[in-house]
Amino acid sequence: MTEQASGSHHPQPRARSGGQSATVEHVTGAQSLIRSLEEVGADTVFGIPGGCILPAYDPMMDSSRVRHVLVRHEQGAGHAATGYAQATGRVGVCMATSGPGATNLVTPIADAHMDSVPLVAITGQVASKAIGTDAFQEADICGITMPVTKHNFLVTKAEDIARTIAEAFHIAATGRPGPVLVDIAKDALQAQTVFSWPPQMDLPGYRPVTKPHAKQIREAAKLITAAKRPVLYVGGGVLKAGATAELKVLAELTGAPVTTTLMALGAFPDSHPLHVGMPGMHGAVTAVTALQKADLIVALGARFDDRVTGKLDSFAPFAKIVHADIDPAEIGKNRTADVPIVGDAREVIADLVQAVQAEHTEGNTGDYSAWWRDLSRWRDTYPLGYDQPEDGSLSPQQVIQRIGQLAPEGTVYAAGVGQHQMWAAHFIDYERPATWLNSGGLGTMGYAVPAAMGAKAGLPDRTVWAIDGDGCFQMTNQELATCALNGIPIKVAIINNGALGMVRQWQTLFYNQRYSNTVLHAGPGEETPANKGTRIPDFVKLSEAMGCVALRCERPEDLDKVIAEANAINDRPVVVDFIVHEDAMVWPMVAAGTSNDEVMAARGVRPDFSDGDDD
């Protein structure tokens, strides 16, 4: 088995033909770092200079092919690198100095780890002799990030820099993608060395398994054709492997329903008749119920996380499990697999197609007609929808739906975390892969604006909308200045309900409407003559101050005109402050810690599945 994950669509560090070094130069460690980034194909780095990383910034001025985007906060650099990676399929790169610069990267590194995003974070470290002395701006960033990186390196010798960068990009992009940290001591960056490319990588224990076992594939195919109520449960691993074309072939060959997780939206067209929606805590009723009543679940690049399963011991009680994943640690972690398959999703699905075709040739074809009668009835009875506010104010769902309907084809959407994230998942149609970016596993507020910036930097010809909440927006909106200064014209929709909406929804449902510390404007007893009736900050003024075109929309009759105006501006960032009704809620919903059988379609109403149910 080779080290390279052959099913991955992420580019690997480039080697010269014949394996011979075409380049040998006498350089500093810092120059070696920049040359190495050029050789592995990194074209964009998001970062901020500081004392210990400063030597690396000097050679960037010498006609480097690497574009550096100077962000306003290291967290923005990390999320931008993630957005770049998710949108382009290439490894994202961020850079920061030691101490607080490095620790400000911890959240985006943890975010990338949870969502399996290929990321290389490069940090400066104090001089090697000062490590461990509590020197100025020293932090053990390797120790701090050990639980949330795929691997990390501390480099103290200049001659190790090129090899380490090659290894870091290889590890980040192959197998199960993930973040890799490279921490480089300042004296290593300053020292003289010989740069030679390609370096000889030394990763003796790293051999990702990409080719699935043929026997397991045959067993899975037999279960698929023998099942009466199968479901293809598709996770983000299918997108990471570039396996969406193979997935469509498998789904249409079997005729089984497909459900795509929050991390997999776009892996299978939302409009396809076999698609039954997103599963999970706020998933479509049909998707949630299909998994509960299935007799076979074929999990492809998914990890049975708690937001999908609900109360784990009550999840899918009738189902046998086929679980395919590139990471063997995921298989059996939460739900025992009847047929475990370790391999790259593209290779697994391609082999499954052949095995199912062989079963069909032998006359073994699944009969899912009764299953589809149930699924179709649930889909017709419990569609996604929303109510218009009675006071004539803007519905947040309608705002997001119209953004999706009026956006140019191929638009990329980056969402923050909360109600607006779920509404964007529900009410925008995702027909293509890599058009939906969000923080799924860690649920990081403040993700949207910098992630959209990274996506637009990587795909400058595509429209990129950030769908953000007023709470999330206030965490990282300073990156709008970065966008304005660097010619990165993203579009931002602030779904402004004046509150931390998802937390407020939980307070409404589970805390007797006691809205403790979730109101973002002046609440009862907090108003003064200066702030009475105002929303602070004024997002229009704030955005204009950062070099953006800023618009505000408060009335449904203005909605289409304002969105069209935003879509027409492509030379600067655009921010639209949508003032929406504060009481809108996300439905459907499965309350935390409860069984998916207790899914509420809307307003606490439990669906009735008794009619025609074959269980």
Side-chain angles (χ1 to χ4, degrees), residues 243-320:
T244 56
E246 289 82 357
L247 172 65
K248 190 166 184 284
V249 172
L250 178 66
E252 292 177 348
L253 176 67
T254 62
V258 178
T259 179
T260 49
T261 68
L262 182 68
M263 291 305 300
L265 297 181
F268 192 76
D270 278 357
S271 61
H272 198 288
L274 294 176
H275 192 245
V276 293
M278 182 182 77
M281 172 177 278
H282 292 293
V285 168
T286 306
V288 172
T289 308
L291 288 171
Q292 283 302 96
K293 297 186 178 297
D295 64 359
L296 175 68
I297 293 175
V298 181
L300 302 167
R303 57 188 178 88
F304 291 91
D305 67 286
D306 61 294
R307 282 306 193 254
V308 167
T309 65
K311 188 178 179 183
L312 187 60
D313 59 11
S314 68
F315 175 71
F318 313 110
K320 289 186 176 181

Side-chain angles (χ1 to χ4, degrees), residues 220 223-233 251 254-259 274 276 290-291 293-298 319-320 322 366-372 375:
L223 287 178
I224 290 171
T225 54
K228 297 294 186 185
R229 301 185 304 280
V231 176
L232 300 182
Y233 161 38
T254 62
V258 178
T259 179
L274 294 176
V276 293
L291 288 171
K293 297 186 178 297
D295 64 359
L296 175 68
I297 293 175
V298 181
K320 289 186 176 181
V322 173
D367 180 6
Y368 314 144
S369 54
W371 182 221
W372 270 109
L375 294 168

Side-chain angles (χ1 to χ4, degrees), residues 469-489:
D470 48 328
C472 287
F473 181 72
Q474 293 185 72
M475 293 193 173
T476 53
N477 61 49
Q478 66 269 24
E479 301 309 336
L480 288 173
T482 309
C483 291
L485 289 168
N486 287 273
I488 305 175

